[in-house]
Amino acid sequence: MSIYTRYGDQGYTRLVGGGRAKKNAPRVHAYGSIDTLNSHAGVAVSQLSKDDPVRGELLQVQQWIFDCGGDFATPDEKRPYKMEAEMVQWLEEKIDEYWSKTPELQQFILPGGVPAAATLHVCRCVAREAERNAVALLELEEAVNPEALKFLNRLSDYFFALARWVNLQAEEPDVCYQNSAPVFKGKKKPRS
C-alpha cells in the first residue's frame, strides 16, 4: 500500500464510511485540529521520563484523542462512534485529582514552566481550538457524537490541571499574570 493516493490532488479527502469532503470543509477542520492536538500531546509524552506515571496516562489519552478524531471523521455515524461517557468521567476524575493537589489559584497564570508542562499548556490551547472547530461543525447541523464534543471540552481543563501538576512535581511555581484581578474567587476548580 502506498502512503500517497493522489486523491487529495484535486482538494478532496476521504471520510470514514466512503464519503468525501473538500480539504477545507468544517468536518476536516474539526478532525484535523484534533490530529494536531494529538501531535502536541506526543511532544509532551516525549518530554517525560519513561518511568513517570503521567507518561503512561498521556499515552492512553492520545489513544482517546485518536478515537475522537475518528468520530469527527465519521459523518452520519457510518460506523459506531468510539467516544463514550466513561472517557469524559475519567477526565473529570483526573481533573479533580490534580486540582486538589495543586495550590489554589486566585489569578490567571502564564503558560510555561518545565518543558512538559509548557507543552501541556499548548495542548490546552489546541484542545480549545479543536472544540471551536467541532462547534462550527455542529452549527451546520452535521452529525456529531455528543460524547466526543464533551471529551474535547473536558480535555482542555485536564491539560491545564495536569500542566500545573507537572510543574508542581518539578518544584516550578505558577507565574501569575500581573494584571489579573481575582478570577477564581474561592472556586475549587475552573470549569468550562
Side-chain angles (χ1 to χ4, degrees), residues 43-62:
V43 174
V45 168
S46 75
Q47 294 168 331
L48 296 165
S49 67
K50 293 195 187 294
D51 61 341
D52 189 329
V54 170
R55 188 176 196 275
E57 181 179 306
L58 276 174
L59 287 169
Q60 177 57 61
V61 170
Q62 280 193 279

Side-chain angles (χ1 to χ4, degrees), residues 42-182:
V43 174
V45 168
S46 75
Q47 294 168 331
L48 296 165
S49 67
K50 293 195 187 294
D51 61 341
D52 189 329
V54 170
R55 188 176 196 275
E57 181 179 306
L58 276 174
L59 287 169
Q60 177 57 61
V61 170
Q62 280 193 279
Q63 296 286 334
W64 290 338
I65 293 170
F66 207 103
D67 287 342
C68 185
D71 281 2
F72 278 98
T74 307
D76 303 317
E77 202 171 354
K78 301 267 183 180
R79 62 137 173 90
Y81 289 137
K82 294 182 178 179
M83 300 306 299
E84 298 175 347
E86 293 80 19
M87 298 163 182
V88 175
Q89 181 180 348
W90 183 91
L91 286 176
E92 288 176 350
E93 290 169 3
K94 285 298 186 178
I95 293 164
D96 292 344
E97 175 188 342
Y98 291 130
W99 202 258
S100 70
K101 294 177 178 178
T102 52
E104 187 172 323
L105 281 182
Q106 296 295 319
Q107 298 173 287
F108 286 117
I109 61 170
L110 299 179
V114 298
T119 302
L120 290 166
H121 279 294
V122 171
C123 290
R124 172 186 58 81
C125 296
V126 178
R128 284 285 183 230
E129 180 180 0
E131 184 183 14
R132 289 191 299 273
N133 288 331
V135 169
L137 182 64
L138 188 66
E139 286 180 344
L140 294 173
E141 297 184 4
E142 296 235 8
V144 171
N145 177 1
E147 295 305 325
L149 187 58
K150 290 176 193 174
F151 179 80
L152 285 176
N153 183 261
R154 294 307 180 286
L155 203 51
S156 58
D157 290 337
Y158 167 77
F159 285 129
F160 182 70
L162 184 57
R164 294 191 68 225
W165 169 251
V166 167
N167 272 335
L168 181 68
Q169 294 306 294
E171 299 180 357
E172 183 78 26
D174 290 321
V175 177
C176 290
Y177 167 53
Q178 291 177 352
N179 293 326
S180 179

